[in-house]
DNA sequence: GCCGTTTTCGGCCCGACTGTTTTCAGTCG
């Protein structure tokens, strides 16, 4: 049981307490315990009473935790779960609908599932409740549809984990295979896990797969050349395209690309990729592309986006690789809401062979994330200076993730902003804005001379919430004009800037930074996911900010401050 | 549930924003 699991359990517990009308001060005591968990900085499992109390837990909370660790159940939670239908717990995932509103829906309209909630909204029954009106009802309906639609979909990072397990099973069975569809294309969200596999027949494959207990096969959805099913754990669709050994290269290629990609050809003198594939067998992917008069597209680029035409015309750039990344920018320490100390964040990255760390804790307005006061900035800068002496030639850059305030201003006075090596400017709240407001707010921040990097441009959380709408062109153009770099926030939940806009940014000469937004040392690894989507837009080493060497980026940051 | 005593009980308490109201409750970062 990780700290994350423990926090999750306590979060659900506080929500259920609120739902069942517990004394709010009692609920607060549990919330305080969650705070202590987040700040613990060490695995809690197995700690005894005294050790927990030393970490700031109260006597009662320490006791509850110790009991949980030894018995395996959190009694308070089990008790409340018993009293709450599962569907009501599902409903708690709706944003903008808290425990009070859930209680009203449940107790007064007897709604205890997302399905029933959807029907009640459609029948306009929800707006009859006190405290609800047409606008709230519409918002709830939109949310329910969003949740239902996304329930079986996975973030790429999670899909990749499942894919690894499936591939390991196939390998163990000696079944030749290749990733296909959204997995091979590294799409940010995956609806279906697709694989091309070699088998004598689909029935032979089914026999093998029947031993795989994480998958339920679906006969009705399967066809002679495709075996379909779903993951037991999430209900996500899985499909296997069956082919013979001699067709493997051709079919694996065909299934790796977006359908629109197969309509490409070098010029009118050539057949399309689709026509090429229909003709004969091929011994290599190079051969397939050559026959269509095309350069070889790396797998991430096998999309049908309009800009793919540029790659045909101008050639395909050498895409950035994980090994090209020399440092990591936009990271949090326990000065704000990170899990690890500044030293831990730095030493870990140094040990991994990187040259520099950009630390950018939250700014003062983000008090929910323990944002930094001017005094604490000074304190952090002193610590950075000391660590830099100790860890040289590794270097920590002084940064901040400055909130972009409602009116587009940054979160500190100019003289404070001037003390940083770099500033990541991001919007955190409020997030509800129309396109014109959001765009103007961003552009004002981009125009501020202190802004080095624009953070997560739309604020989206994939599968959880849509970002605020922005005029991408206007925002990117403003970055180009003011020399501001845009991050691809590499958290699998964000991947924001979206890759569909990254090519436009690159064409305007705007560099991108693959920023993990790490809140713990494990978070650095997310840079890989930003890199994958960056590659989908043709991102090169030269256009990646954190592919600069220490010397280069040091010079760059200095030049920006003039 | 926590805290601190005028010590075992009563008060504790983020603030901005939204959508619902007609002065405020609920939600959220």
């Amino acid at each position: 049981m990780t700290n994350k699991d423990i926090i999750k359990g306590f979060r659900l517990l506080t929500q259920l307490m609120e739902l069942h009308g517990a004394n709010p001060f009692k609920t607060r005591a549990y919330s305080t315990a969650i705070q202590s968990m987040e700040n613990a900085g060490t695995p809690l499992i197995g700690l005894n009473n005294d050790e927990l109390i030393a970490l700031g837990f109260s006597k009662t909370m320490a006791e509850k935790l110790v009991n949980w660790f030894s018995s395996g159940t959190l009694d308070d939670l089990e008790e409340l779960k018993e009293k709450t239908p599962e569907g009501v717990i599902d409903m708690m995932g709706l944003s903008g609908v808290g425990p009070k509103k859930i209680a009203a829906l449940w107790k007064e309209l007897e709604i205890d599932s997302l399905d029933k909630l959807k029907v009640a909204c459609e029948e306009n029954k929800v707006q009859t409740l006190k405290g609800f009106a047409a606008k709230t009802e519409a918002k709830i309906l939109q949310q329910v549809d969003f949740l239902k639609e996304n329930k079986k979909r996975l973030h790429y990072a999670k899909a990749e984990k499942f894919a690894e397990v499936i591939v390991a099973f196939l390998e163990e069975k000696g079944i030749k295979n290749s990733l296909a569809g959204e997995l091979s294309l590294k799409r940010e969200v995956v609806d279906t896990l697709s694989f091309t596999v070699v088998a004598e027949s689909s029935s032979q494959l089914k026999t093998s797969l029947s031993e795989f207990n994480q998958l339920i096969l679906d006969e009705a959805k399967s066809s002679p050349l495709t075996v379909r099913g779903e993951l037991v754990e999430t209900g996500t669709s899985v499909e296997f395209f069956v082919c013979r050994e001699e067709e493997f290269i051709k079919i694996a290629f065909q299934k790796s690309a977006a359908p629109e990609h197969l309509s490409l050809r070098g010029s009118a003198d050539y057949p399309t990729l689709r026509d090429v594939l229909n003709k004969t067998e091929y011994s290599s992917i190079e051969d397939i592309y050559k026959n269509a008069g095309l350069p070889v597209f790396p797998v991430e680029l096998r999309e049908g986006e309009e800009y793919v035409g540029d790659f045909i015309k101008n050639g395909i750039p050498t895409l950035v690789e994980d090994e090209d990344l020399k440092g990591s920018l936009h990271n949090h320490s326990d000065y704000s809401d990170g899990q690890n100390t500044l030293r831990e964040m730095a030493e870990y990255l140094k040990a991994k062979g990187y040259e520099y760390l950009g630390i950018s804790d939250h700014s003062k307005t983000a008090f929910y994330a323990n944002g930094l006061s001017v005094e604490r900035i000074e304190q952090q800068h002193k610590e950075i200076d000391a660590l830099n002496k100790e860890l040289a030639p590794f270097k920590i850059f002084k940064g901040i993730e400055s909130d972009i305030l409602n009116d587009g201003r940054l979160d500190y006075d100019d003289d404070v902003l001037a003390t940083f090596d770099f500033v990541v400017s991001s919007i955190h709240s409020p997030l509800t804005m129309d396109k014109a407001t959001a765009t103007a707010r961003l552009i004002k921040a981009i125009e501020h001379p202190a802004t080095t990097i624009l953070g997560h441009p739309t604020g989206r959380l994939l599968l959880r919430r849509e970002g605020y709408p922005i005029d991408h062109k206007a925002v990117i153009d403003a970055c180009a004009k003011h020399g501001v770099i845009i991050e691809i926030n590499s958290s699998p939940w964000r991947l924001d800037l979206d890759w569909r806009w990254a090519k436009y940014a690159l064409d305007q000469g705007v560099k991108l930074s693959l920023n993990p937004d790490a809140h713990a040392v494990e978070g650095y690894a997310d840079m890989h996911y930003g890199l994958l989507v960056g590659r989908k837009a043709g991102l090169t080493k030269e256009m990646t900010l954190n592919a600069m060497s220490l010397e280069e980026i040091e010079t760059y940051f200095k030049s920006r401050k003039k």
Side-chain angles (χ1 to χ4, degrees), chain A residues 402-411 425 427 433 437-448 451:
Chain A
S402 169
D403 264 42
I404 299 173
L405 306 178
N406 223 337
D407 57 4
R409 280 181 305 129
L410 299 186
D411 204 8
S425 301
I427 290 180
M433 297 173 280
T437 311
T439 304
R441 187 173 168 191
L442 286 176
I443 289 177
K444 176 115 189 269
I446 291 163
E447 286 168 351
H448 195 296
T451 297

Side-chain angles (χ1 to χ4, degrees), chain A residues 271-289:
Chain A
T272 64
L273 282 169
R274 190 172 287 104
D275 290 337
V276 168
L277 289 173
N278 282 336
K279 269 185 203 148
T280 171
E281 304 303 342
Y282 295 89
S283 55
S284 73
I285 286 173
E286 287 74 14
D287 211 13
I288 296 171
Y289 276 113

Side-chain angles (χ1 to χ4, degrees), chain A residues 311-526:
Chain A
F311 296 139
I312 299 174
K313 206 167 73 193
N314 306 326
I316 294 174
T318 305
L319 304 181
V320 62
E321 307 272 357
D322 286 305
E323 305 77 64
D324 295 329
L325 303 183
K326 300 293 181 237
S328 178
L329 306 166
H330 190 172
N331 301 289
H332 299 264
S333 72
D334 64 1
Y335 271 84
S336 64
D337 61 348
Q339 308 262 314
N340 291 101
T341 62
L342 186 54
R343 172 183 287 280
E344 286 164 350
M345 291 300 284
E347 286 179 343
Y348 185 95
L349 203 59
K350 185 185 177 190
K352 288 272 174 190
Y354 290 92
E355 298 173 9
Y356 54 88
L357 160 65
I359 202 80
S360 50
D361 275 305
H362 285 285
S363 63
K364 64 178 196 287
T365 299
F367 59 88
Y368 56 85
N370 199 19
L372 270 55
S373 64
V374 174
E375 292 72 36
R376 296 192 58 240
I377 291 170
E378 287 168 4
Q379 187 193 341
Q380 190 181 52
H381 286 184
K382 273 185 197 149
E383 190 181 344
I384 291 175
D385 289 336
L387 279 169
N388 276 342
K389 275 188 193 144
E390 186 186 328
L391 300 176
F394 184 87
K395 178 159 181 176
I396 306 171
F397 287 105
K398 297 165 184 164
I400 194 83
E401 181 177 19
S402 169
D403 264 42
I404 299 173
L405 306 178
N406 223 337
D407 57 4
R409 280 181 305 129
L410 299 186
D411 204 8
Y412 299 103
D413 294 337
D414 288 351
D415 55 335
V416 176
L417 290 170
T419 65
F420 297 107
D421 295 315
F422 72 104
V423 174
V424 181
S425 301
S426 318
I427 290 180
H428 288 107
S429 89
L431 298 169
T432 315
M433 297 173 280
D434 61 32
K435 197 179 197 176
T437 311
T439 304
R441 187 173 168 191
L442 286 176
I443 289 177
K444 176 115 189 269
I446 291 163
E447 286 168 351
H448 195 296
T451 297
T452 323
I453 301 176
L454 175 64
H456 44 68
T458 75
R460 74 180 182 186
L461 289 178
L462 295 164
L463 303 180
R464 165 89 57 88
R465 81 173 177 227
E466 314 240 17
Y468 39 83
I470 67 169
D471 180 338
H472 278 90
K473 271 196 178 160
V475 168
I476 293 168
D477 290 347
C479 288
K481 184 172 167 194
H482 297 280
V484 167
I485 283 154
I486 302 180
E487 81 171 4
I488 295 184
N489 188 295
S490 303
S491 158
W493 286 81
R494 293 191 184 268
L495 298 173
D496 180 16
L497 181 72
D498 190 285
W499 58 270
R500 294 161 191 83
W501 282 102
K503 173 71 163 62
Y504 179 78
L506 294 172
D507 286 347
Q508 310 318 305
V510 174
K511 281 195 177 174
L512 303 176
S513 190
L514 302 176
N515 292 352
D517 202 352
H519 283 72
V521 292
E522 295 83 17
Y524 290 131
D526 284 349

Side-chain angles (χ1 to χ4, degrees), chain A residues 208-275:
Chain A
S208 300
L209 288 174
S210 65
E211 291 173 35
F212 188 52
N213 59 13
Q214 297 193 34
L215 188 71
I216 305 168
L217 293 179
D218 187 333
E219 286 291 341
K221 284 185 183 159
S222 298
S223 66
L225 289 176
T226 310
V227 175
R228 291 195 171 86
E230 61 182 47
L231 289 178
V232 173
E233 193 177 327
T234 60
T236 310
S237 303
V238 184
E239 63 187 2
F240 300 89
F241 303 114
V242 179
C243 70
R244 299 188 311 275
E245 173 74 40
E246 59 271 26
E247 311 170 294
F248 183 69
I249 288 173
K250 184 168 102 171
I251 303 293
F253 168 72
Q254 183 192 19
K255 301 298 186 187
S256 75
E260 303 79 32
H261 189 73
L262 301 178
S263 305
L264 298 180
R265 53 178 162 174
S267 72
D269 302 332
Y270 289 94
T272 64
L273 282 169
R274 190 172 287 104
D275 290 337

